Amino acid sequence: MDKKTYYVCVAVATVWTSYDSSREIDDNAISFPVKLDKWLEQLTYTRRLELCEKNLVQTQLLLGEEVYVTEMKGKWAKIVIPSQFSSKDERGYPGWVPFHQLISQAEYFPLNKPTAVVSAAIATLHLAEEALQISYQTHLPLLKEDKEWLEVQTPVGSGRIKRQDAVVIEDRNRKVKGTGDMIIAAGEQFLNLPYLWGGMSAWGYDCSGFAYATHKANGYLIPRDATDQARQGKEVGLASIQPGDLLFFAHEKGEGSIHHVGIYYGKGKMLHSPKTGKTVELIELKGTLYEEELCAARRYY
């Protein structure tokens, strides 16, 4: 089929490697609406680790994000994500989502309208008949505002979010962008958040998803995966790194393939989302395996 534009109509849509990747324990992640808290509560360490080790999950999408559907297989849609740059597909990050988590709505997201961007970790979206928890960095067209509320357009109808939980940007291209320190500040609010393989929301980030979200919050759209992030941006010598720079780590003491990315915090420290079973943390690099594996740095701000 030719690619067709759709929008995510759940708070967070998990993008699976194949149409048959999800397990019975993942039913709450592929439902409509999704039940993320229930899904994550049920995942033991072993079942969480399988998301990575069995290559079940690729990435995630937030409410209102645009995708192109390129193929259908039963109740599943094969998609590419234009906002998540990837060397896997020049059109955008590829994967599979349940078709009922997508909606087709022409011109749902007008490019010239102001946008409400969720700045709280998790905000409540009040719809006509229900309330929905939505993630940090969810972008929704602004309809109107007052001192307390922002009225927004969503793929499932208009709704309201508290003004204190979002910021309004007039231009999606963000002429005024954040500094390295602001990238760090965006990440600090997620200290102690459990790691989630493929995670791209405030319910859990993986290492490159954490880098992606903190940069997106400051007006920089960077590639989705660490290997691609290490190829773009401005190359920075390891002796010249500054707060907000991305640090990359490779197997074989920095000589092998890149497997991890973190954000340089300054004073020899790194802010990162490490691996399954760990949480977002701020660590000293000195004396760690990361010090041995550090191989490159890039600057996007």
Side-chain angles (χ1 to χ4, degrees), residues 27-256:
D27 284 353
N28 285 316
I30 63 173
S31 61
F32 178 86
V34 295
K35 304 177 185 73
L36 288 168
D37 289 323
K38 284 187 178 180
W39 176 48
L40 296 173
E41 282 168 14
Q42 291 175 336
L43 292 183
T44 61
Y45 170 77
T46 301
R47 304 314 296 273
R48 271 187 181 244
L49 194 59
E50 286 176 354
L51 297 174
C52 165
E53 293 196 333
K54 293 187 175 182
N55 190 31
L56 302 180
V57 166
Q58 292 293 304
T59 185
Q60 287 181 319
L61 288 153
L62 304 181
L63 177 70
E65 288 200 271
E66 179 185 76
V67 303
Y68 302 142
V69 173
T70 61
E71 184 184 333
M72 291 294 300
K73 184 90 172 179
K75 297 179 180 179
W76 287 80
K78 189 174 187 181
I79 62 166
V80 291
I81 308 164
S83 61
Q84 294 184 25
F85 309 141
S86 173
S87 56
K88 295 178 179 181
D89 192 311
E90 62 182 13
R91 298 170 297 179
Y93 215 99
W96 292 81
V97 295
F99 189 57
H100 63 206
Q101 293 185 345
L102 303 176
I103 194 167
S104 175
Q105 249 183 18
E107 299 180 16
Y108 152 68
F109 210 147
L111 293 174
N112 57 348
K113 284 286 181 78
T115 304
V117 182
V118 175
S119 54
I122 293 175
T124 302
L125 170 66
H126 299 270
L127 297 165
E129 296 181 0
E130 63 176 330
L132 187 67
Q133 300 294 101
I134 59 175
S135 173
Y136 181 69
Q137 284 307 296
T138 298
H139 287 224
L140 298 168
L142 181 69
L143 298 176
K144 58 184 179 181
E145 58 186 307
D146 60 31
K147 289 182 179 179
E148 188 178 1
W149 295 95
L150 301 175
E151 186 175 336
V152 294
Q153 180 66 43
T154 85
V156 290
S158 63
R160 297 186 304 157
I161 53 179
K162 287 275 192 181
R163 173 177 279 283
Q164 67 198 37
D165 290 338
V167 296
V168 174
I169 57 173
E170 296 297 327
D171 174 12
R172 284 182 77 193
N173 294 319
R174 292 284 295 274
K175 291 185 176 69
V176 179
K177 300 182 189 292
T179 63
D181 286 335
M182 290 166 72
I183 290 169
I184 290 167
E188 283 180 306
Q189 65 182 306
F190 295 107
L191 283 167
N192 302 315
L193 177 71
Y195 174 99
L196 178 66
W197 172 260
M200 288 282 275
S201 84
W203 278 270
Y205 291 103
D206 63 13
C207 67
S208 55
F210 185 60
Y212 180 96
T214 52
H215 279 70
K216 184 178 178 182
N218 284 284
Y220 305 101
L221 205 55
I222 71 174
R224 167 62 178 93
D225 286 343
T227 47
D228 291 328
Q229 291 171 357
R231 295 188 188 109
Q232 295 190 26
K234 179 184 177 183
E235 187 174 0
V236 179
L238 296 179
S240 306
I241 53 176
Q242 298 290 327
D245 289 344
L246 292 183
L247 305 181
F248 297 93
F249 304 87
H251 296 295
E252 300 167 27
K253 295 187 177 181
E255 299 297 322

